Amino acid sequence: MATLLDRTAPRAPASEFPARLSLTPKSTLAGQLDGAWWPRSRDLDVELPPLVAALDEVWGRITRVTMNPTHWPVIPHKVPVSGHTVHVGWFTEQHPDKLILLSLTLGRWDLLVIPPETEPAAAARLMAAAAIPGSVLTADMLMANEADISSGIRDARSREDTWETEGGACMAPFGHPIGQRALPAPGNT
């Protein structure tokens, strides 16, 4: 799937839309991920500034971000954020659904990146799962589990739709649906 970015279209200011972010609470339990980020698009020039600005307040000044280029059509080398510049790097060895953030003073954080087109219910499940302290679930495991859950939900909806379109009601012995009108009125037995 190719993603195209229209650089001529007007962009909403980054501060207009805060980052959709879920972070692991401060704890002594270290996990595989430090939370999750759900960007609104695949345009890093627009998406990174609100993310980094939000994290600067929590984790200290973020100076570097790394990602896998698989899901990002354009990866800028530098992104201006609130008076400083964040250097952006890419590594094909890094998981495509993981973002690594580095701070000179406080260390490294790994975030699950939830694809922008993800349905809100699925994104909420992923954001909650990625923010569990001490979790051993990796980005790969979370995304695979969510794909299975979403598939199960779609299958259940499909079965329900099939049930409804094929009659979906209890049938009387002679093939007529049993509805409220077919049942005797209370007191008329």
Side-chain angles (χ1 to χ4, degrees):
M1 173 180 94
T3 303
L4 299 175
L5 294 177
D6 182 1
R7 298 270 181 209
T8 61
R11 295 191 219 174
S15 61
E16 189 174 320
F17 298 110
R20 297 185 293 189
L21 190 59
S22 174
L23 301 176
T24 304
K26 289 185 179 185
S27 166
T28 58
L29 296 173
Q32 291 289 321
L33 296 167
D34 298 297
W37 173 49
W38 185 23
R40 290 175 173 80
S41 73
R42 296 202 183 271
D43 186 346
L44 287 173
D45 283 321
V46 171
E47 297 295 335
L48 279 179
L51 171 67
V52 171
L55 294 175
D56 278 354
E57 295 174 15
V58 179
W59 291 339
R61 181 169 281 193
I62 303 297
T63 57
R64 194 168 292 281
V65 174
T66 68
M67 61 197 46
N68 182 310
T70 301
H71 299 305
W72 303 97
V74 176
I75 297 182
H77 294 288
K78 296 178 183 178
V79 175
V81 178
S82 304
H84 72 285
T85 301
V86 175
H87 297 271
V88 183
W90 58 269
F91 299 95
T92 56
E93 299 83 16
Q94 185 172 323
H95 190 277
D97 296 310
K98 186 164 119 177
L99 179 76
I100 297 173
L101 301 116
L102 302 166
S103 167
L104 285 177
T105 56
L106 297 174
R108 167 187 166 157
W109 296 272
D110 295 11
L111 295 180
L112 172 70
V113 178
I114 301 168
E117 61 277 1
T118 303
E119 292 181 13
R125 285 189 297 271
L126 286 166
M127 291 182 89
I132 296 172
S135 175
V136 296
L137 297 174
T138 62
D140 186 35
M141 294 165 76
L142 285 171
M143 295 306 285
N145 288 342
E146 184 53 43
D148 289 344
I149 290 168
S150 293
S151 174
I153 290 170
R154 280 191 305 276
D155 289 349
R157 285 183 186 147
S158 176
R159 285 190 302 273
E160 184 177 326
D161 289 345
T162 300
W163 168 264
E164 293 296 330
T165 59
E166 290 180 348
C170 293
M171 303 297 274
F174 302 107
H176 299 289
I178 298 176
Q180 291 180 341
R181 294 179 188 212
L183 296 175
N188 292 341
T189 55

